[in-house]
Amino acid sequence: RYYEREGLIQPSRSAGRIRLYSMRDIEKLQRVKTLMDELGVNLAGVEIILNLMGRLAEMDKQIKEMAEQIGQLRGEEA
């Protein structure tokens, strides 16, 4: 609940308002725990790290899409 209040996770809710955690939520909570317990990162640092990890994942996706487009263009030139 604490991480939910801090905005790190947003579980879905059942009709009876029970929190439903996805595998993605659980993996994120495991990363938070590792960063805080094993690496000594505070909650503000965890939030920054998670945001940067999200941005890196998005950039990686864009790079792969661009590489695919380049490959297609090279295939058309041959």
Side-chain angles (χ1 to χ4, degrees):
R1 291 181 191 170
Y2 175 72
Y3 297 134
E4 185 179 352
R5 281 194 304 269
E6 294 297 320
L8 292 175
I9 59 168
Q10 297 172 352
S12 58
R13 302 278 183 157
S14 70
R17 304 283 299 148
I18 295 173
R19 288 175 181 83
L20 302 173
Y21 296 96
S22 66
M23 283 307 296
R24 187 179 209 172
D25 291 332
I26 292 168
E27 290 168 358
K28 191 172 189 179
L29 288 170
Q30 289 172 333
R31 281 194 299 273
V32 169
K33 182 173 177 15
T34 299
L35 289 168
M36 293 182 81
D37 293 348
E38 296 178 17
L39 301 176
V41 177
N42 65 19
L43 194 57
V46 167
E47 187 173 4
I48 290 168
I49 290 168
L50 292 177
N51 286 337
L52 288 173
M53 289 173 68
R55 289 176 60 193
L56 284 172
E58 181 60 34
M59 289 169 40
D60 187 50
K61 180 181 170 187
Q62 290 175 352
I63 289 169
K64 287 178 182 176
E65 289 172 356
M66 286 180 197
E68 185 177 307
Q69 290 173 354
I70 290 170
Q72 290 173 354
L73 289 173
R74 286 186 176 164
E76 291 174 4
E77 292 176 7

